[in-house]
Amino acid sequence: MAVARKFSDQLDAFCQMAARMADLHNAEAILFLTERPTEWDKLQAAVGDHALIVAADSEDVLAGSEDAQFDTVVLSVPDLPVYEQLTEALLEAVADEHLAPGAPVVAVYSGFESDTIDSLSLIRLGEHLGRLTIRDLKQLGAKVPTETLKSVVDLAVSIGREGREGKPVGTLMVVGDHRKTLTFCKPMGFDPVRGYPVSERMLSDGKVREGVKEIAQMDGAFVVSAKGTVVAACQHVSAPPAELSISKGLGARHWAAAEITRATSAVAVAVSESNGTVRVFLNGEVVLRIEPFRRAMKWKDFENEPPPATPAEKERDKDKDKEKDKEKEPEKAE
């Protein structure tokens, strides 16, 4: 179990500043992002009457918070940069109906030094998360279990944000009503998941999610059952044409997503290759759009100039150059 953080004077000061900022901007809640547990009763007292949401990357960190009067969020993707942890926490809070999609929120977190609360931000969800349209996540899960849909959307967001090996990747995942969906599908060649037992095709398994990211680089769609099993991959989806109205500029992948969700009760999740935007389709319509998060940083070796040569190395190089010049001279006739 994680070691509890002492509720220091600095933490108390940041929480009180967050409460004042929340009053000033009519924030709906204060988000507290933490790496380890703290004295929950003092935390609640420090923010006063404001709604408090505590986010952490594991249940252990939230241990002992059951008696406190605030909402909790467990991040599904730990070890991300702080910006992306905040984004994930806000998305989870919207999905769990702790926050309205366009609400202003004050965030308190460790921005610079790990395990030290040192940053305070005002976040307007409408600007930060992109646009939520038509229905919320709970309504989206009407015919697909919310946990399955959430797992697929999280995976799609990860693909849209990271791509694969530095290259953008687009893909399509059709979730639920898989038997009827398969009647509108045909393999585009080799199906990488065919023949594997069900236990090795569950999206709840981290190895399977990584495998999906790899397969996403290939053409075709994934078909996922309502229970979260990858039923088929690399599928060409061709549902009957229907009268649809989707935004201009969306390609064949998005049209296929709209058509298959009009012909079945499935939910389709499409990732745009051009910009990583994730769109969720239901009954032929875009019901949720998530803009890509900030791209994951890639480390590169620092390119610096080599140290200057020593006098001995310079002299040796001169001798080598002279030898090369002699080899280039034409042989003299005897």
Side-chain angles (χ1 to χ4, degrees), residues 82-257:
V82 173
Y83 175 90
E84 296 181 18
Q85 289 184 42
L86 286 171
T87 301
E88 175 71 16
L90 293 169
L91 272 176
E92 295 281 355
V94 171
D96 294 339
E97 298 184 337
H98 301 325
L99 291 172
V105 180
V106 176
V108 183
Y109 55 98
S110 302
F112 295 92
E113 189 173 341
S114 177
D115 204 32
T116 300
I117 300 297
D118 54 21
S119 299
L120 192 66
S121 296
L122 173 68
I123 301 173
R124 300 186 187 280
L125 296 191
E127 301 169 3
H128 185 79
L129 297 181
R131 182 166 59 90
L132 296 181
T133 62
I134 305 176
R135 301 171 179 88
D136 60 20
L137 287 178
K138 185 176 181 180
Q139 290 172 308
L140 284 179
K143 293 188 179 180
V144 175
T146 304
E147 283 303 311
T148 299
L149 183 59
K150 178 176 169 298
S151 177
V152 172
V153 170
D154 284 345
L155 181 56
V157 167
S158 178
I159 292 172
R161 180 185 66 240
E162 301 168 6
R164 209 63 179 160
E165 297 181 354
K167 297 179 181 179
V169 173
T171 193
L172 172 63
M173 290 180 271
V174 185
V175 192
D177 201 6
H178 68 278
R179 290 185 176 84
K180 189 173 182 180
T181 297
L182 287 173
T183 64
F184 299 111
C185 296
K186 61 180 180 180
M188 298 185 71
F190 173 67
D191 182 349
V193 303
R194 185 175 182 180
Y196 283 89
V198 172
S199 60
E200 296 181 19
R201 291 185 279 120
M202 297 295 295
L203 285 179
S204 56
D205 187 337
K207 292 180 181 179
V208 175
R209 292 196 297 274
E210 287 302 312
V212 168
K213 291 180 182 180
E214 290 292 339
I215 299 170
Q217 300 174 84
M218 304 169 66
D219 291 333
F222 294 92
V223 178
V224 182
S225 74
K227 294 182 179 180
T229 303
V230 182
V231 178
C234 300
Q235 298 292 306
H236 174 69
V237 179
S238 181
E243 291 186 6
L244 301 170
S245 177
I246 64 175
S247 302
K248 293 181 179 180
L250 297 182
R253 179 181 294 115
H254 296 87
W255 278 99

Side-chain angles (χ1 to χ4, degrees), residues 301-313:
D301 292 334
F302 184 72
E303 297 179 0
N304 57 349
E305 295 182 359
T310 63
E313 290 173 335

